[in-house]
Amino acid sequence: MRTALSGLTTRGRCLLAAGFAAGVCAAVLNERDLLRVAAFVIALPLLAAWLATRARVGLHAARYLAPSRVPVGAASEVKLDLRSTGRLPTGGLMLEDTVPYALGARPRFLVERLPRNTPTALRYPLKPVMRGIQQVGPLMARITDPFGLAEFDRELAGRSRLVVVPRVVRLAGLPGGSGMGAGDDGSVRLRAGQGEDDAVVRPYRQGDDLRKVHWRSTARRDELMVRVEERPWRGGTTVLLDHRVHAHRGSGPTASLEWAISFVASICLHLHHFGHQVRLVAEDGRVLAGGSADGGHSDHVVLDSLAALQGSHRRELSGGIDPGAGQEVIAVLGGVSPASVEELIRYRPRGMRSLAVLLDVNAWSGGADASAPDPEDVRRMLAGAGWGVTIAKPSASMQQVWQELCASAGNRGPSVRSEVG
């Protein structure tokens, strides 16, 4: 009874109070007819609340996403299957499915009558505008009686997972010169001595185990070096993504970070199409996808890792490219200072192919951000170190930026000037 009374609406509570008042008046005035009216008025909201409670118990729903993995801008359809197993038919059913703002408005359905043991299908579309792991649900139902005297809320279905992967643009062509993804190991190896295996080393980073320090390499280079125990990435192409929040401008789908993620996804899938092994790493050297685990050829692994990627709160590029990087490196960078790219070029000899796309993040802010670094200084620095460089702006298409990058690969050197947009 307490549960039924908690579901009474304002109309139902007023009617119940009026019934009790009429009953008191009937007792004082000794009016039997008024007492009958009072009993009817009291019983009506209680009966409505009981029926709504019974209808709530027998409701069941299931949600299906088709498909459950879509790129940004593509459509997905949600199907809701409703079924009532109660003894009484359900009516006055208001349904609302919880949908994140990035997927659109919350859909609402009004079901006038839900027959017993007869499934009812409801559908609505989703068109995501932002990548990410989105949660659809829960599905809430509000059950009311025909007179609006009682209503109850109930969760009919939990949450469903929708993976929104970055938009992939079809690219054409490959950088000129030596074949992408081919070649020798791109690691830095130092001969430890006759009869000993080569040591794969890299500079010491804060938090490294001091027991892994390679003292012979440290003495030769006059800086602390540590041994890399993992199997180095042999050959292949390493794609570096700078996803620092500090290095990008804009917000929402038009942010420079979203452009960079979409461009990196397009590059990885484009190279996969030609059979190249690709390893995707973050600006701190963390492997996001590829490598020995999947052979560097899994499109789904790349897209899923980028779908779940959040912006990094690092202020500067840290660690640069691991010495175990592939023979070729393609770096997609946000706003960086010349000092931040020293680690990128430190262990990249001129004989190894190194390409970079510099985002003019000030253009993504409309040219109003004076704090955004000028990519021209970094371009000259990388070009002087033998990198092929292009500058990307939001006015240029990704295919155009890729073509400029491919062209810069065959004209690397201090005199290279390749700017897009």
Side-chain angles (χ1 to χ4, degrees):
M1 180 60 67
R2 181 178 299 178
T3 303
L5 291 177
S6 65
L8 290 176
T9 62
T10 302
R11 180 185 301 176
R13 294 176 186 274
C14 291
L15 193 61
L16 188 63
F20 279 112
V24 173
C25 292
V28 172
L29 299 177
N30 194 22
E31 290 286 344
R32 293 187 177 181
D33 293 337
L34 183 59
L35 184 61
R36 296 188 184 95
V37 173
F40 174 77
V41 172
I42 293 174
L44 184 60
L46 296 179
L47 180 62
W50 179 79
L51 290 176
T53 304
R54 295 286 294 179
R56 181 182 65 170
V57 173
L59 280 178
H60 304 279
R63 182 191 301 106
Y64 305 96
L65 300 180
S68 60
R69 185 175 178 277
V70 295
V72 173
S76 178
E77 186 180 64
V78 179
K79 179 184 177 183
L80 301 174
D81 282 345
L82 304 178
R83 183 183 294 270
S84 175
T85 58
R87 295 184 178 182
L88 298 175
T90 303
L93 182 63
M94 175 70 75
L95 297 175
E96 182 177 6
D97 208 3
T98 304
V99 174
Y101 77 94
L103 300 181
R106 291 187 177 184
R108 294 182 178 180
F109 302 94
L110 177 61
V111 180
E112 295 291 347
R113 182 178 179 85
L114 187 62
R116 178 172 173 263
N117 290 329
T118 301
T120 300
L122 302 175
R123 290 180 172 85
Y124 66 90
L126 293 176
K127 192 170 183 179
V129 296
M130 281 286 292
R131 62 173 182 85
I133 308 299
Q134 306 291 352
Q135 298 293 334
V136 180
L139 174 65
M140 302 300 299
R142 175 166 294 181
I143 305 165
T144 62
D145 67 286
F147 302 104
L149 301 179
E151 63 181 18
F152 295 92
D153 292 332
R154 182 190 171 188
E155 180 179 321
L156 295 184
R159 291 178 171 85
S160 300
R161 186 169 178 262
L162 178 65
V163 180
V164 184
V165 300
R167 183 175 62 95
V168 175
V169 176
R170 187 172 182 177
L171 305 177
L174 291 173
S178 60
M180 290 289 295
D184 299 329
D185 183 6
S187 331
V188 173
R189 292 180 177 269
L190 299 175
R191 175 71 64 179
Q194 186 176 3
E196 299 181 16
D197 293 334
D198 290 350
V200 183
V201 296
R202 62 167 172 79
Y204 173 83
R205 300 173 186 168
Q206 186 176 3
D208 285 340
D209 190 350
L210 292 178
R211 292 175 295 181
K212 298 180 181 179
V213 173
H214 193 264
W215 297 109
R216 188 181 297 273
S217 303
T218 299
R220 290 183 179 181
R221 290 181 170 259
D222 198 23
E223 67 172 317
L224 206 57
M225 306 291 290
V226 295
R227 182 186 298 272
V228 180
E229 295 183 350
E230 298 177 352
R231 180 183 178 185
W233 174 250
R234 297 181 177 273
T237 301
T238 295
V239 179
L240 172 66
L241 171 62
D242 179 10
H243 65 106
R244 296 172 298 134
V245 175
H246 175 71
H248 292 275
R249 300 295 186 273
S251 60
T254 59
S256 61
L257 176 60
E258 297 302 320
W259 191 96
I261 291 176
S262 179
F263 187 56
V264 163
S266 303
I267 292 175
C268 292
L269 269 62
H270 178 64
L271 296 180
H272 286 169
H273 176 72
F274 286 92
H276 301 310
Q277 290 186 330
V278 180
R279 185 175 68 167
L280 177 61
V281 299
E283 78 284 342
D284 59 355
R286 179 169 55 95
V287 178
L288 301 177
S292 58
D294 60 1
H297 286 79
S298 175
D299 291 350
H300 289 319
V301 172
V302 171
L303 293 176
D304 289 349
S305 65
L306 291 176
L309 186 65
Q310 300 294 325
S312 170
H313 294 284
R314 296 178 181 271
R315 300 290 295 181
E316 298 293 340
L317 294 176
S318 58
I321 301 175
D322 198 302
Q327 176 71 5
E328 281 94 14
V329 167
I330 301 176
V332 180
L333 307 176
V336 293
S337 61
S340 299
V341 299
E342 291 182 356
E343 287 293 331
L344 293 180
I345 63 178
R346 194 169 187 176
Y347 297 103
R348 297 298 298 175
R350 287 180 177 269
M352 294 184 178
R353 185 196 302 273
S354 303
L355 306 175
V357 176
L358 304 176
L359 273 65
D360 187 358
V361 294
N362 190 30
W364 264 271
S365 65
D369 191 350
S371 64
D374 186 2
E376 187 61 31
D377 296 335
V378 177
R379 185 201 64 80
R380 285 194 292 265
M381 184 177 179
L382 290 173
W387 286 56
V389 188
T390 184
I391 298 177
K393 296 185 178 182
S395 58
S397 65
M398 293 185 185
Q399 172 60 25
Q400 184 180 355
V401 174
W402 176 250
Q403 289 178 349
E404 290 285 338
L405 187 65
C406 293
S408 70
N411 299 282
R412 292 177 294 167
S415 61
V416 173
R417 177 181 179 85
S418 179
E419 182 172 340
V420 178

